[in-house]
Amino acid sequence: MEPFRGRIGIIGSGALGCFYGARLSRAGFDVHFLMRRDFDAVRENGLKVFSFEGDFVIRPPVFASALSLGLCDLVIVGFKTTDNHVLPDLLGPSCNLHTVVLTLQNGLGNEEAVALALAAKSDARPPSETAKQVMGGTAFLCSTRTEPGVVCHTDHGFIRLAEFSGGPRERTRAIAEMFRCAGIDCAVRESVAAIRWEKLVWNIPFNGLGVAAGRADTAAILSDPDLRGTVEELMLEVIAGARADGAEIDPGLAADLMKKTETMGAYRSSMQIDYECGRPVEVEAILGEPLRRARCAGVATPRLQMLYGIVRRLDYLNRLDKE
Amino acid sequence: MEPFRGRIGIIGSGALGCFYGARLSRAGFDVHFLMRRDFDAVRENGLKVFSFEGDFVIRPPVFASALSLGLCDLVIVGFKTTDNHVLPDLLGPSCNLHTVVLTLQNGLGNEEAVALALAAKSDARPPSETAKQVMGGTAFLCSTRTEPGVVCHTDHGFIRLAEFSGGPRERTRAIAEMFRCAGIDCAVRESVAAIRWEKLVWNIPFNGLGVAAGRADTAAILSDPDLRGTVEELMLEVIAGARADGAEIDPGLAADLMKKTETMGAYRSSMQIDYECGRPVEVEAILGEPLRRARCAGVATPRLQMLYGIVRRLDYLNRLDKE
């Protein structure tokens, strides 16, 4: 299988977008970055990656607006889901009928948001059509943007990919091969729902309680018997919701994830970090949308409902405090 | 029925102890106050009650130590359950074999704590014996200690009383009559477990979420559909736990309480106020002990478990922040 070749646009150049974009760029792919906060730093000093797999610097083409980024064959969306309202503005100038858009964001509802954003363009095809341009991926990556133009990559990096509409096709495998050529482990899966829900089995309890239980990293949560018990039960709720929503997930995943989390030390989830930094948290993508889908599928998820209610309010107060 | 007559000691002279003690004192009962923070103010200016039922001042005998308070016929315990570790020291000098101790504290486990404290005295009877000296009561009272020696009483005040060991007897009715002589509505009940659990049906959701969901008064909780749904389900969990623990509570109580809470406006629970003032919250009496009893009785209370885990950790962090 030949890797995907074409003009690649990275929109949302935080730690995730910068890391994958830089690895692809270093491997010779034609990567262009749309940047806001990091624009000046990267144009002046390049994009620096400090990684346990080897440090490097690249000097990629970087753009300050979607208009100047221009048309791409593949757009990779890496920003926080709390910014999804800007998708129409960013995808408008960079996409045509043939552009593939891959969202590597967290949670549920992002493929839908991309398809709707593409449908909002002037050529006005319905979302059922634009959905065919959309792919979803889950990224298992420990990376942090430490300062403008600098990313620190401390662990993992593998990606799972799936088409939003229908099963894998040639382009799916070509894009997976592209990531592999950049040294990134990448697997193609049948169902985007399955990979999204699979990641949520961990993300819902540890992101949610990381905020609700106050400065609670994984070690703090696991060391409290009632929080730990709540995590285990939340995982089973999420798996039940996933299965009812059509995502086949092995119930044994919960026990596996508990074991893996034991070895992670005191890990702070992205939602906890966002919350503590006073930033909006991804409450809808990670908690709200899964709750709504489980509910639609007729599955009771009492702990998820409570967690969503608490975190949504804490997020609201957090924003209020910043004003 | 003649009202109880005898030497009364009020220990724990916060808003609750001061209010009931002052009303009893004004009605001619022989009330003595053990005070710490308010000692100087009350000795100098008396104890002032501003009440929707009429303001008044009394100049009662006030003591700074349990030793100087001396032996009482009835001791009323009104302090926060987070101070229950001082019960042996305070009850030691004020109680003999005949003293009745009435705890008006919140939550579960207080009658047990009093019986154990009495059993720790030098005459060393077993708790099964000292339990017969103990009565429990639930107070429905809106009062605040606004400054040393000043209590503001804004609503309600009625008390439900029960013996800890066995059903009501003559002294139970005499003590109820004493409160009534002081203008306080007071009912005698068969079971202390029933009155305790009954109050918890409201206290668990609104106190717990008042802390967990951040600055959440009753209006904030009721206006969020997922927090409101969680309250309703928590109430049913508590009622199921209560019934399994032997307390007969009508499941219709949940709907009644929801309706009543609607009319309360933006009411802040005592736990929320304590938390926001940086004080320890009554997490064990209000959340932990009910959870343990429901669990022992074989009833699953998933939301209560989660709430307990979250609030216990928030309380811990709150104390840490104060250090």
Side-chain angles (χ1 to χ4, degrees):
Chain A
M1 166 63 62
E2 277 299 298
F4 175 92
R5 293 282 173 191
R7 194 170 194 273
I8 302 170
I10 307 281
I11 68 174
S13 305
L16 181 138
C18 281
F19 172 73
Y20 289 119
R23 287 287 285 260
L24 291 170
S25 182
R26 184 181 66 164
F29 294 96
D30 184 24
V31 183
H32 305 255
F33 291 83
L34 176 62
M35 290 185 158
R36 218 174 23 187
R37 296 176 305 174
D38 297 43
F39 180 79
D40 291 331
V42 172
R43 209 166 48 166
E44 228 163 280
N45 307 310
L47 176 53
K48 298 178 193 173
V49 177
F50 293 96
S51 168
F52 75 101
E53 296 175 322
D55 305 342
F56 64 96
V57 185
I58 56 163
R59 297 194 159 273
V62 49
F63 303 88
S65 77
L67 263 177
S68 57
L69 170 67
L71 193 62
C72 298
D73 300 302
L74 171 64
V75 169
I76 298 177
V77 181
F79 50 70
K80 297 264 174 191
T81 55
T82 47
D83 287 330
N84 274 358
H85 56 277
V86 301
L87 277 170
D89 288 341
L90 299 189
L91 295 182
S94 52
C95 298
N96 67 9
L97 298 178
H98 308 291
T99 305
V100 176
V101 182
L102 166 61
T103 159
L104 292 177
Q105 297 165 289
N106 269 322
L108 298 181
N110 300 310
E111 290 79 16
E112 290 82 351
V114 169
L116 284 169
L118 291 173
K121 281 172 59 89
S122 54
D123 47 348
R125 288 166 308 134
S128 56
E129 278 303 305
T130 56
K132 295 174 187 163
Q133 296 178 247
V134 184
M135 291 173 58
T138 49
F140 296 81
L141 174 71
C142 299
S143 68
T144 317
R145 177 183 163 282
T146 51
E147 56 184 293
V150 180
V151 169
C152 185
H153 171 224
T154 51
D155 210 354
H156 302 298
F158 68 98
I159 288 176
R160 291 185 182 123
L161 285 186
E163 291 291 334
F164 178 41
S165 178
R169 25 183 165 155
E170 204 176 307
R171 75 168 188 211
T172 331
R173 286 180 278 269
I175 288 173
E177 187 58 26
M178 171 191 79
F179 280 113
R180 284 187 217 108
C181 288
I184 292 156
D185 187 18
C186 186
V188 170
R189 294 293 188 88
E190 287 295 316
S191 147
V192 77
I195 62 173
R196 291 258 169 247
W197 275 106
E198 217 170 279
K199 193 169 176 189
L200 286 168
V201 176
W202 192 92
N203 266 347
I204 285 175
F206 286 103
N207 280 273
L209 288 172
V211 172
R215 289 181 255 160
D217 56 40
T218 54
I221 291 170
L222 292 181
S223 68
D224 179 296
D226 294 296
L227 292 178
R228 186 196 178 93
T230 298
V231 166
E232 289 168 339
E233 296 294 332
L234 264 168
M235 286 183 169
L236 298 180
E237 281 186 13
V238 178
I239 291 172
R243 293 169 71 98
D245 192 43
E248 271 315 307
I249 295 185
D250 181 349
L253 177 63
D256 281 359
L257 288 176
M258 290 303 286
K259 259 186 234 155
K260 275 183 196 151
T261 312
E262 298 276 13
T263 68
M264 285 168 66
Y267 181 80
R268 292 161 77 217
S269 72
S270 64
M271 195 182 268
Q272 187 193 347
I273 293 172
D274 283 338
Y275 181 71
E276 290 176 5
C277 293
R279 295 191 293 257
V281 304
E282 300 187 286
V283 61
E284 293 307 328
I286 293 180
L287 301 173
E289 193 59 23
L291 171 64
R292 288 185 284 271
R293 296 208 188 172
R295 193 178 274 158
C296 277
V299 171
T301 53
R303 296 169 188 85
L304 174 54
Q305 179 186 25
M306 182 165 154
L307 198 56
Y308 173 57
I310 291 173
V311 174
R312 190 174 53 178
R313 184 168 163 82
L314 292 175
D315 178 53
Y316 163 76
L317 294 172
N318 211 26
R319 298 182 196 213
L320 224 58
D321 284 345
K322 270 203 87 181
E323 274 170 13
Chain B
M1 165 64 61
E2 277 299 298
F4 175 92
R5 294 281 173 191
R7 194 170 195 273
I8 301 170
I10 307 280
I11 69 175
S13 304
L16 182 137
C18 281
F19 172 72
Y20 288 119
R23 288 286 286 259
L24 291 169
S25 183
R26 185 181 66 165
F29 294 96
D30 184 25
V31 184
H32 305 255
F33 291 83
L34 176 62
M35 289 185 159
R36 218 175 22 187
R37 296 176 306 175
D38 297 43
F39 180 79
D40 292 331
V42 172
R43 209 168 46 166
E44 228 163 281
N45 307 312
L47 175 55
K48 298 178 193 172
V49 177
F50 294 96
S51 168
F52 75 101
E53 296 175 323
D55 306 341
F56 63 96
V57 186
I58 57 162
R59 298 195 158 271
V62 50
F63 303 88
S65 76
L67 263 178
S68 57
L69 170 66
L71 192 62
C72 298
D73 300 301
L74 170 64
V75 170
I76 298 177
V77 181
F79 50 71
K80 297 263 174 192
T81 56
T82 48
D83 287 330
N84 274 358
H85 56 275
V86 301
L87 277 170
D89 288 341
L90 298 189
L91 295 182
S94 52
C95 297
N96 68 8
L97 298 177
H98 307 291
T99 306
V100 176
V101 182
L102 165 62
T103 159
L104 291 177
Q105 298 165 290
N106 269 321
L108 298 181
N110 300 311
E111 290 80 15
E112 290 80 351
V114 168
L116 284 168
L118 291 173
K121 281 172 57 92
S122 55
D123 47 347
R125 288 165 309 133
S128 56
E129 277 302 308
T130 56
K132 295 174 188 163
Q133 296 178 247
V134 184
M135 290 173 59
T138 49
F140 295 81
L141 175 71
C142 299
S143 68
T144 317
R145 177 185 164 279
T146 50
E147 55 185 292
V150 180
V151 169
C152 185
H153 170 224
T154 51
D155 211 354
H156 301 297
F158 68 97
I159 288 176
R160 291 185 182 123
L161 283 186
E163 291 291 334
F164 178 42
S165 178
R169 22 183 167 154
E170 203 177 309
R171 75 168 187 212
T172 331
R173 286 179 278 269
I175 288 172
E177 187 58 28
M178 170 191 80
F179 281 114
R180 282 186 218 111
C181 288
I184 292 156
D185 187 17
C186 186
V188 170
R189 294 292 189 91
E190 288 295 317
S191 147
V192 78
I195 61 174
R196 292 261 170 243
W197 276 106
E198 217 169 279
K199 193 170 175 188
L200 286 168
V201 176
W202 193 92
N203 266 347
I204 285 176
F206 286 104
N207 280 272
L209 288 173
V211 172
R215 288 182 256 159
D217 56 40
T218 54
I221 292 170
L222 291 181
S223 67
D224 179 294
D226 294 295
L227 293 177
R228 186 196 179 91
T230 298
V231 167
E232 289 168 339
E233 296 295 331
L234 264 168
M235 285 183 170
L236 298 179
E237 281 186 13
V238 178
I239 291 172
R243 293 169 72 98
D245 192 43
E248 271 315 307
I249 296 185
D250 181 348
L253 178 62
D256 282 358
L257 289 176
M258 290 303 286
K259 257 185 237 156
K260 274 183 197 150
T261 312
E262 299 276 13
T263 68
M264 283 167 67
Y267 181 79
R268 292 160 78 215
S269 72
S270 64
M271 195 182 267
Q272 186 193 348
I273 293 171
D274 282 339
Y275 182 71
E276 290 176 6
C277 293
R279 295 191 292 257
V281 303
E282 301 188 284
V283 61
E284 293 307 328
I286 293 180
L287 301 173
E289 193 59 24
L291 171 64
R292 289 184 284 272
R293 297 209 187 172
R295 193 179 272 158
C296 277
V299 171
T301 53
R303 297 168 187 84
L304 174 55
Q305 180 186 25
M306 183 165 154
L307 198 56
Y308 173 57
I310 290 174
V311 173
R312 191 174 51 179
R313 184 167 163 81
L314 292 175
D315 179 53
Y316 163 76
L317 295 173
N318 211 26
R319 298 183 197 213
L320 223 57
D321 284 345
K322 269 203 88 182
E323 275 172 12

